[in-house]
């Protein structure tokens, strides 16, 4: 196939002049960090998703770490998540010394299967971290029911799904805590950044404490004087800067238009793929609207007469930035050394063997979609 002049990435940021202006304004202001923009950004995101509170973090991984702390995850606990995700969804439980339990996926949505979650609950289970893989929301009502029946905390990993809907609610309105990431490939960006949204005041206060060194103003500190503060737990410096938050506030104005464009392009891929043998489009549940962070197809190498590796390499050689998301988390050497055997989640592993992410981001055109698909037809 003909080589594109410019590389077409699987995803990328879209920064406008307005975004740049917003950042410059903050650079000229008295606050570079922990100022008005962080507060504004948190309010904008909380309001957008329909949650009471939001706490921003330096990145999404730090936010997941904070959520595990707020949930009280600690050594001896078990945390259930999916193997088809970025490693951070599991690593955050390890930071707290907990054991990660991987539950298999649903073969249609590629998301964690609620029945598999239920099957893996033990007296040690403390939390569930479902992931809205590719931007398609997990069945959060079913997962919350399981959690309530077993006294578990649900931390939804919404790194892919800011702006997605589940039964006419935004992702972030339902779980105990929901994490969003603002890495440049994600729905909107702050360069690096993350946030936890929650309706729970106790979680909110713990998140604030954890983000800021475990330092707080106690009644004892009040008595001592205006300069006094106390460090009551071992926290971190996980703060987002006002520079990042200024970019975030500006980017949030464009979130809906970005998602609409992603949805349009995804619909185009799906329609055109019905005419291509050997490539299966991702299935969508009727009661959800995906944020379409990724467009992940299943290849049939026999029909196509080529291996996934060969297809990947030929598309990359043509400057088309296909990718594979994700290698099952427990296949990584770190998890293998902890004793997780291959074969643990057969549906996830089978899915991985044939998975390929096609480029999808709001700056793409219909011609780009056609060019990607021309390889297969
Ligand atoms: C990107 C991502 C994260 C981590 O977010 P960062 O902001 O990069 O730390 C966590 N989970 C998933 C599923 C992600 O895609």
């Amino acid at each position: 196939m003909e080589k594109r002049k410019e590389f077409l990435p699987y995803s990328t940021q879209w920064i406008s002049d307005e975004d740049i202006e917003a950042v410059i304004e903050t650079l000229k202001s008295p606050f570079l960090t922990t100022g008005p923009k962080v507060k504004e950004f948190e309010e904008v995101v909380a309001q957008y998703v329909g949650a009471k509170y939001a706490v921003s973090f330096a990145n999404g991984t730090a936010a997941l770490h904070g959520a595990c702390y707020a949930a009280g995850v600690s050594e001896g606990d078990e945390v259930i998540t999916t193997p088809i995700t970025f490693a951070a969804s599991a690593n955050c439980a390890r930071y707290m010394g907990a054991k990660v339990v991987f539950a298999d996926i649903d073969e249609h949505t590629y998301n964690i299967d609620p029945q598999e979650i239920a099957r893996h609950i033990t007296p040690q289970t403390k939390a569930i971290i479902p992931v809205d893989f590719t931007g398609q929301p997990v069945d959060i009502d079913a997962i919350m029911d399981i959690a309530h029946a077993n006294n578990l905390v649900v931390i939804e990993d919404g790194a892919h799904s800011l702006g997605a809907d589940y039964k006419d609610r935004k992702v972030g309105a339902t779980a105990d805590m929901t994490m969003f990431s603002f890495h440049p490939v994600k729905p909107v960006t702050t360069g690096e950044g993350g946030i936890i949204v929650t309706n729970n005041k106790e979680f909110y206060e713990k998140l604030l404490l954890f983000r800021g060194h475990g330092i707080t103003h106690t009644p004892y500190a009040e008595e001592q004087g205006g300069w006094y503060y106390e460090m009551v737990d071992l926290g971190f410096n996980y703060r987002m800067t006002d520079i990042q938050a200024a970019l975030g506030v500006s980017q949030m104005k464009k979130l809906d238009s970005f998602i609409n464009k992603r949805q349009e392009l995804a619909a185009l891929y799906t329609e055109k793929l019905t005419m291509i043998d050997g490539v299966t489009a991702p299935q969508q549940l009727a009661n959800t609207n995906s944020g379409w962070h990724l467009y992940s197809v299943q290849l049939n190498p026999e029909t196509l007469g080529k291996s996934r590796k060969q297809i990947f390499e030929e598309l990359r050689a043509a400057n088309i930035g296909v990718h594979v998301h994700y290698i099952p988390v427990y296949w990584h050497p770190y998890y293998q050394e902890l004793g997780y055997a291959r074969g643990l989640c057969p549906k996830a592993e089978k899915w991985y063997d044939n998975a390929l992410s096609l480029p999808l981001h709001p700056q793409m055109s219909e011609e780009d979609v056609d060019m990607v698909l021309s390889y297969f037809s």
Side-chain angles (χ1 to χ4, degrees):
M1 103 183 265
E2 209 184 315
K3 186 176 171 179
R4 278 177 69 96
K5 278 206 192 70
E6 279 178 24
F7 182 69
L8 178 66
Y10 83 85
S11 185
T12 182
Q13 72 274 15
W14 187 350
I15 302 293
S16 67
D17 289 346
E18 282 162 36
D19 293 330
I20 293 165
E21 274 308 310
V23 171
I24 289 172
E25 216 174 284
T26 292
L27 284 170
K28 291 175 177 170
S29 81
F31 286 100
L32 295 189
T33 194
T34 326
K37 281 294 165 186
V38 163
K39 200 156 191 304
E40 186 184 344
F41 181 55
E42 291 172 343
E43 282 167 6
V44 165
V45 175
Q47 200 186 12
Y48 178 89
V49 303
K52 268 201 197 129
Y53 309 104
V55 180
S56 60
F57 282 83
N59 56 69
T61 304
L64 283 172
H65 188 189
C68 284
Y69 169 82
V73 172
S74 61
E75 216 169 315
D77 289 338
E78 293 177 1
V79 173
I80 300 174
T81 192
T82 171
I84 302 303
T85 184
F86 182 58
S89 314
N91 294 350
C92 57
R94 296 293 307 141
Y95 298 154
M96 307 307 296
K99 181 184 169 192
V100 182
V101 175
F102 294 98
D104 212 346
I105 60 168
D106 174 283
E107 65 230 90
H108 303 294
T109 63
Y110 320 148
N111 273 332
I112 196 167
D113 180 345
Q115 286 180 346
E116 286 292 311
I117 294 175
R119 208 166 68 78
H120 283 92
I121 290 172
T122 74
Q124 279 68 51
T125 310
K126 183 80 186 176
I128 309 167
I129 306 182
V131 180
D132 304 316
F133 175 64
T134 72
Q136 171 157 233
V138 288
D139 190 354
I140 195 66
D141 283 353
I143 294 172
M144 292 308 287
D145 285 348
I146 293 167
H148 287 147
N150 294 279
N151 198 22
L152 308 176
V153 180
V154 176
I155 303 166
E156 189 170 355
D157 180 337
H160 299 179
S161 61
L162 180 63
D165 308 296
Y166 171 87
K167 298 184 183 170
D168 298 324
R169 274 170 270 154
K170 286 288 173 206
V171 167
T174 309
D176 293 309
M177 290 179 265
T178 304
M179 182 280 285
F180 298 113
S181 164
F182 304 103
H183 180 278
V185 296
K186 303 291 162 72
V188 290
T189 190
T190 59
E192 293 277 3
I195 209 163
I196 300 289
V197 295
T198 181
N199 290 313
N200 182 312
K201 189 151 184 268
E202 196 185 319
F203 291 151
Y204 171 65
E205 285 168 355
K206 284 190 175 155
L207 291 163
L208 288 177
L209 192 70
F210 191 74
R211 179 182 73 177
H213 307 277
I215 286 173
T216 187
H217 289 277
T218 56
Y220 176 80
E222 295 283 303
E223 263 172 46
Q224 300 310 301
W227 70 90
Y228 210 93
Y229 56 82
E230 289 195 296
M231 192 198 118
V232 298
D233 205 352
L234 188 62
F236 288 76
N237 176 358
Y238 273 167
R239 293 188 301 264
M240 176 182 274
T241 65
D242 267 43
I243 305 165
Q244 292 164 293
L247 178 56
V249 169
S250 183
Q251 283 264 299
M252 281 299 289
K253 292 177 189 156
K254 288 169 286 193
L255 174 59
D256 284 339
S257 70
F258 287 175
I259 300 285
N260 287 343
K261 191 68 195 295
R262 284 179 178 273
Q263 287 172 345
E264 272 173 41
L265 293 167
L268 206 62
Y269 267 134
T270 300
E271 185 197 318
K272 290 180 186 254
L273 279 175
T274 57
M275 289 168 289
I276 295 174
D277 285 339
V279 185
T280 308
Q283 271 190 40
Q284 299 299 300
L285 293 180
N287 59 5
T288 63
N289 256 324
S290 178
W292 289 108
H293 167 58
L294 296 173
Y295 194 88
S296 177
V297 298
Q298 285 282 292
L299 303 173
N300 184 333
E302 269 170 40
T303 311
L304 295 163
K306 289 173 184 176
S307 71
R308 189 225 346 233
K309 187 163 182 243
Q310 192 179 353
I311 293 166
F312 177 92
E313 284 169 356
E314 286 177 3
L315 280 160
R316 280 294 182 96
N319 252 344
I320 292 174
V322 288
H323 215 304
V324 176
H325 303 92
Y326 293 92
I327 300 154
V329 173
Y330 60 81
W331 281 16
H332 288 296
Y334 169 79
Y335 283 97
Q336 288 283 296
E337 276 166 34
L338 289 174
Y340 297 87
R342 288 203 180 209
L344 192 62
C345 297
K347 285 181 188 165
E349 294 187 19
K350 183 164 176 268
W351 172 87
Y352 164 75
D353 281 343
N354 297 317
L356 189 73
S357 305
L358 305 182
L360 178 62
H361 56 82
Q363 279 173 299
M364 277 174 60
S365 64
E366 292 192 16
E367 289 72 43
D368 291 326
V369 168
D370 285 336
M371 184 177 273
V372 174
L373 292 181
S374 71
Y375 171 82
F376 297 101
S377 35

